[in-house]
Amino acid sequence: MAGILQRNFDSPDETRPFEESSGRLDVINTPKGPVGRAVFEPGWRWSKHIKPIAGTESCQSAHTGYVVSGRMKVVMDDGESTEYGAGDFMIVDPGHDAWVLGDEPCVAVDWTGFGEYAKRA
């Protein structure tokens, strides 16, 4: 079937759990590249739950995505910061930390930055 594809994140090609059961990344591989849906549980923080997997001082993935639910704060290495919430489109360059705000999981879909994100060697 040319030109059309349907997939569901409830049947991903791969699921990558985060440290301390703080969430997961579901990845769907498409002909145009991987797309991921991340579920970040309350208390999740990149520098605590992904840094040990990534082995870098800050997140070096570029993100282009959409926040489905919940809230997240992103702080760039230079101190610039913003908060994202449900319905927000986001572009985040490499070099940042991030964490969930509040008591609700933050769910985000990303079509540029999750190909290698939280991938264990």
Side-chain angles (χ1 to χ4, degrees):
M1 186 179 343
I4 193 167
L5 172 71
Q6 179 184 17
R7 296 289 310 274
N8 191 300
F9 279 110
D10 291 335
S11 300
D13 293 312
E14 182 181 2
T15 296
R16 301 175 193 160
F18 301 154
E19 297 287 299
E20 299 178 19
S21 300
S22 61
R24 71 179 188 283
L25 173 62
D26 297 319
V27 178
I28 292 175
N29 295 311
T30 79
K32 305 274 184 180
V35 178
R37 175 187 66 183
V39 177
F40 304 99
E41 296 293 340
W44 175 90
R45 186 174 184 131
W46 186 92
S47 54
K48 181 177 181 184
H49 299 105
I50 305 297
K51 180 179 178 176
I53 300 168
T56 57
E57 283 303 308
S58 61
C59 181
Q60 296 303 306
S61 294
H63 302 287
T64 306
Y66 175 78
V67 179
V68 177
S69 62
R71 295 196 60 75
M72 180 175 286
K73 181 161 188 165
V74 177
V75 179
M76 302 301 295
D77 290 348
D78 69 4
E80 180 182 4
S81 69
T82 194
E83 293 180 13
Y84 293 104
D88 286 342
F89 171 78
M90 64 178 183
I91 293 178
V92 180
D93 287 336
H96 58 273
D97 194 4
W99 55 90
V100 172
L101 298 171
D103 296 328
E104 177 184 354
C106 182
V107 178
V109 175
D110 185 320
W111 47 91
T112 60
F114 282 164
E116 298 298 313
Y117 192 86
K119 194 171 195 175
R120 298 180 195 291

